[in-house]
Amino acid sequence: MANGRKRLTLRAALGAVVLAILLPGGLVYGQHGRGHGHAESAVIMDDVVVTAKRISEYAADNPSQVVVMDREEIRQRNLLSVDEVLNAMAGVDVKRSSGIGSRISIRGSGKSGGVTVLLNGRPLNSSQYGGVNLSAIPIDMVASVTVFKPPVPVWLGAGATEGAVSIVTRDIADKSRREKKRTTRMHAAVGSYGLAGATVSCQANRPGGTALVSAAGEHRDGKRTNSDRDSGSLSLHWDHTTPEHRRMEVDGRFYASEHGSTGPEDNPTPDARQSYQKASLDGRLSGLAGASGDYAVNLYGDRLSLEDKSQSGFVSNLDSAKLGIKGEYNWSDDAQRWAIRSNTIVEHDDLDHTLSGSHRRTTAGLGIQADRKWPALTATLGLRGDAVSDFDINPGCSGGVGYTVSDHWLVRVNTGYTVNIPTFGQLYQPSHGSIDQARGNPDLDKEKVWSNDITLEFRKGKAHLLQFSVFRSDTWDTILYQRDADMIFRPVNGDRSWRHGLEATWKTEFKTGLIVDANVILQDSRIDETGKQLVYTPDLKMKLTLQYRLESTGTRLETTLRYSSEQYSELDNREEERLDDYVTVDVKAVQPFKIKTIAADWFLTVENLFDADFQVHFGYPDDGIRVVTGLNLTF
């Protein structure tokens, strides 16, 4: 690394920290009742509150296309993990990886690692492989999950080329916290393929704050040889609000797993294993700043260890450490016409791998967004700059206009430019899955992405929603994976690729209690150099969910139908590596009851009811029909 580049990064980092403290800024509609609601910054003068309701108001008022699921819906639908929550949202699909983490697809994208995931505003994405291990976030701590579809406002962070997910933890405004001094929630489940798991969380309410501890463990044998997994997690949360309207929060998380790495069917690895541990510690301070502003500062760190035993018997080890600080400062005028949000982030990643050696990366970024509101029009403009020690300075921008046509009709137009930096795994040596399956490419360049969309929306309260969106993204220096004759995947840069299409969403709650939630994505994609389709990017995706509650017994019923047309797993679109189209049906029943003073839910979930035979990724077949049943207890 050149000395000049080191000095540039250091100056950018110091400057970003200073700007985070000094700049006015920020979208604080929530402070005056017009909820902005990203993660942590909806502040009310009389009572310092972080509330998921503000995100819903933000989704209605701001040009960005946003999907929100709050805690009430999460509990009503008995969604037991963040993975399940995302998979239940319109235009979002989540597939478990064969190793650690999940592949999140927003609006039909097949790109891995292009979705930024935030927890109370701090980024969770791994510097090693770009994905996020959502299993480490206990669902009992979650207040809401918000999905931003691309183009994403750049103040959320860098690299959100395919969308962003904002997870908000619970706060002291939760009424259930004020009603009881202590609440315990237990969940136990058993299912097919040797599934057995349990979660226990205990919440203690104190004057001005809350403490919560959650522990979970799970075992699953898996359908294929060497697809078993043992995992466990421990999470701690503490918060306190002072009389001066300052809120302090501390979160600690530890997650460990030991599992097999099966490999694809045409190149199986029955003896490959992985052992994974990750510990995280987050501290957060937020509060009011003057008569019309608020601030938040996150200080966080991760420590990761991964042992990877390949099929050949060779053992590699990955040790990774991350330390970061993120600051936000928000302001809006008394007339609700102008709002500004500014934020900055400084992160340092340190990685040591058996095969690729030691690597370091320092990132310093600054983003600012200004909004202007008129009676029927909202306009927004955001600018961002990120200095990355091994990839120089990377600009970003986003803008949008929302126009209210009538009481219920709204038009949204958005555009944005952002840069996606290659992960350490893409550059050097992945430790995600067996090392027999993939290699890195140190000559990779960063991706440059322009995204645009226009949406026509009809919304009538919470009961009726109809959306039609036309979208397009263009990517230069696209990172693609080429599988060579040795059956190993290697990343390469393509020249240019594009993806465009139409997304339609319809959600209605009928007077009978039936809720219909339907989403259709029709798209086309191309890699200019080859004329082939982008990988894992089907032309058609559909999701239809029906929910119904029996008033007489309180029984909650739900079924989801999914369809995906054929898609390809590698950039040459070879027929032998094509994934066929498929249809799956999931069903769920939840029956609430009481055991004396204990509130209980019995649930039964059947995934892939008709045992459809399809591949999640090339060579990795779905497990087939899966049955899970269990109990939730709250006392």
Side-chain angles (χ1 to χ4, degrees):
M1 185 187 304
N3 290 335
R5 185 175 293 178
K6 287 183 179 178
R7 287 193 296 270
L8 171 64
T9 302
L10 179 59
R11 290 171 183 170
L14 293 174
V17 173
V18 173
L19 285 169
I21 298 172
L22 297 180
L23 272 178
L27 198 56
V28 161
Y29 297 140
Q31 189 167 353
H32 302 282
R34 292 291 294 173
H36 148 264
H38 163 59
E40 66 284 352
S41 64
V43 179
I44 300 175
M45 289 292 291
D46 295 334
D47 190 11
V48 179
V49 189
V50 182
T51 169
K53 180 180 178 181
R54 302 304 178 194
I55 299 180
S56 300
E57 296 171 353
Y58 171 76
D61 294 341
N62 198 274
S64 299
Q65 189 171 350
V66 178
V67 184
V68 184
M69 188 176 294
D70 60 21
R71 180 163 182 78
E72 180 180 356
E73 184 175 355
I74 291 171
R75 295 192 65 172
Q76 286 291 317
R77 298 177 65 176
N78 195 51
L79 301 171
L80 301 177
S81 69
V82 178
D83 281 315
E84 288 188 31
V85 172
L86 289 171
N87 224 11
M89 300 175 80
V92 184
D93 289 292
V94 178
K95 299 294 186 185
R96 286 286 183 94
S97 171
S98 58
I100 299 299
S102 305
R103 294 174 63 100
I104 305 172
S105 171
I106 296 177
R107 197 184 262 162
S109 170
K111 183 172 178 58
S112 176
V115 176
T116 294
V117 181
L118 306 167
L119 178 64
N120 290 335
R122 83 91 135 182
L124 294 177
N125 297 69
S126 165
S127 59
Q128 170 63 8
Y129 44 82
V132 176
N133 178 28
L134 298 174
S135 302
I137 305 171
I139 197 66
D140 285 342
M141 290 187 176
V142 174
S144 70
V145 178
T146 303
V147 171
F148 293 79
K149 297 184 179 181
V152 175
V154 290
W155 49 259
L156 282 175
T161 55
E162 307 301 321
V165 176
S166 175
I167 303 167
V168 183
T169 55
R170 296 168 64 183
D171 59 71
I172 62 172
D174 191 329
K175 291 182 180 179
S176 65
R177 294 187 174 200
R178 296 178 175 179
E179 292 170 355
K180 297 181 179 180
K181 290 185 177 181
R182 182 176 289 107
T183 301
T184 300
R185 182 171 170 83
M186 301 177 63
H187 156 77
V190 295
S192 54
Y193 305 118
L195 173 66
T199 301
V200 179
S201 65
C202 185
Q203 168 189 306
N205 300 326
R206 308 167 296 100
T210 305
L212 189 149
V213 58
S214 177
E218 184 180 277
H219 170 80
R220 185 167 185 169
D221 295 330
K223 182 178 181 180
R224 297 183 63 201
T225 301
N226 198 34
S227 63
D228 62 291
R229 178 189 296 268
D230 289 294
S231 63
S233 65
L234 176 66
S235 301
L236 306 171
H237 170 83
W238 174 88
D239 63 65
H240 179 73
T241 301
T242 70
E244 295 79 22
H245 300 292
R246 294 189 184 94
R247 179 177 170 88
M248 295 172 285
E249 301 171 76
V250 178
D251 287 280
R253 299 180 301 279
F254 177 77
Y255 177 86
S257 70
E258 201 281 332
H259 59 276
S261 183
T262 57
E265 288 185 312
D266 65 350
N267 187 20
T269 53
D271 300 313
R273 306 289 297 181
Q274 285 191 341
S275 177
Y276 172 89
Q277 299 89 34
K278 183 178 180 180
S280 300
L281 183 63
D282 299 1
R284 178 175 175 80
L285 175 66
S286 57
L288 304 178
S292 57
D294 72 276
Y295 68 90
V297 178
N298 283 29
L299 179 64
Y300 55 91
D302 296 327
R303 183 74 183 182
L304 180 150
S305 176
L306 177 63
E307 181 183 271
D308 193 341
K309 177 186 176 184
S310 75
Q311 182 61 28
S312 65
F314 180 80
V315 176
S316 65
N317 291 279
L318 168 71
D319 292 300
S320 176
K322 174 185 286 187
L323 182 64
I325 182 170
K326 182 177 181 181
E328 297 188 6
Y329 192 81
N330 309 299
W331 171 88
S332 63
D333 70 337
D334 293 337
Q336 301 268 326
R337 291 174 299 182
W338 284 98
I340 301 173
R341 161 181 284 258
S342 64
N343 74 67
T344 188
I345 186 171
V346 179
E347 278 191 352
H348 178 76
D349 292 280
D350 200 331
L351 177 144
D352 186 21
H353 192 274
T354 303
L355 296 179
S356 63
S358 298
H359 303 281
R360 293 175 176 82
R361 175 178 292 173
T362 301
T363 302
L366 173 65
I368 187 167
Q369 176 171 310
D371 286 12
R372 177 66 164 91
K373 292 181 67 68
W374 291 270
L377 182 71
T378 300
T380 180
L381 177 64
L383 299 174
R384 183 171 192 87
D386 293 274
V388 183
S389 56
D390 49 345
F391 281 92
D392 301 318
I393 296 178
N394 307 285
C397 66
S398 61
V401 175
Y403 178 68
T404 302
V405 180
S406 64
D407 289 343
H408 304 297
W409 287 95
L410 178 70
V411 176
R412 308 173 191 261
V413 181
N414 292 281
T415 187
Y417 173 83
T418 189
V419 172
N420 186 44
I421 303 297
T423 64
F424 286 132
Q426 291 172 326
L427 290 169
Y428 308 112
Q429 173 61 54
S431 286
H432 180 61
S434 170
I435 59 176
D436 296 314
Q437 306 294 343
R439 294 290 186 271
N441 178 3
D443 297 323
L444 283 179
D445 198 0
K446 57 195 175 188
E447 294 180 319
K448 283 78 73 175
V449 184
W450 270 108
S451 300
N452 305 276
D453 75 358
I454 180 170
T455 301
L456 177 63
E457 176 182 301
F458 172 84
R459 186 185 295 269
K460 189 175 181 181
K462 293 184 177 181
H464 303 284
L465 172 67
L466 182 64
Q467 287 179 335
F468 295 96
S469 297
V470 178
F471 62 88
R472 181 179 175 97
S473 64
D474 292 86
T475 304
W476 286 264
D477 296 319
T478 312
I479 297 176
L480 306 165
Y481 279 84
Q482 176 72 58
R483 198 183 198 205
D484 297 326
D486 59 6
M487 305 182 78
I488 292 176
F489 284 95
R490 292 176 174 85
V492 297
N493 281 116
D495 182 22
R496 176 178 172 270
S497 66
W498 52 263
R499 182 173 69 95
H500 61 207
L502 171 68
E503 179 184 24
T505 300
W506 173 49
K507 185 173 183 178
T508 295
E509 183 175 349
F510 295 95
K511 293 181 179 180
T512 59
L514 176 67
I515 300 175
V516 178
D517 192 350
N519 180 264
V520 178
I521 299 168
L522 182 65
Q523 63 182 346
D524 190 17
S525 65
R526 285 294 181 273
I527 304 168
D528 278 356
E529 287 178 282
T530 64
K532 304 296 185 179
Q533 180 178 299
L534 284 168
V535 299
Y536 298 112
T537 309
D539 292 338
L540 179 62
K541 296 185 77 168
M542 295 191 296
K543 185 192 299 184
L544 173 64
T545 299
L546 305 177
Q547 301 175 60
Y548 186 70
R549 183 177 184 273
L550 300 176
E551 292 294 337
S552 57
T553 61
T555 307
R556 303 189 293 273
L557 304 173
E558 182 174 330
T559 183
T560 300
L561 181 147
R562 305 172 195 271
Y563 171 77
S564 177
S565 63
E566 65 179 30
Q567 52 193 302
Y568 294 92
S569 63
E570 49 76 47
L571 61 87
D572 290 329
N573 290 184
R574 291 194 293 264
E575 285 300 307
E576 59 268 25
E577 296 191 11
R578 183 190 68 188
L579 309 185
D580 294 331
D581 63 337
Y582 64 88
V583 177
T584 63
V585 176
D586 303 335
V587 295
K588 179 188 296 183
V590 181
Q591 178 60 59
F593 62 97
K594 278 198 171 185
I595 306 174
K596 294 184 178 180
T597 60
I598 299 175
D601 289 323
W602 169 81
F603 63 88
L604 173 67
T605 301
V606 183
E607 298 179 352
N608 198 355
L609 175 65
F610 300 109
D611 200 15
D613 184 17
F614 70 96
Q615 297 181 93
V616 178
H617 308 297
F618 174 72
Y620 292 89
D622 182 77
D623 281 343
I625 184 171
R626 300 179 294 280
V627 180
V628 180
T629 186
L631 286 173
N632 299 322
L633 302 175
T634 303
F635 53 91

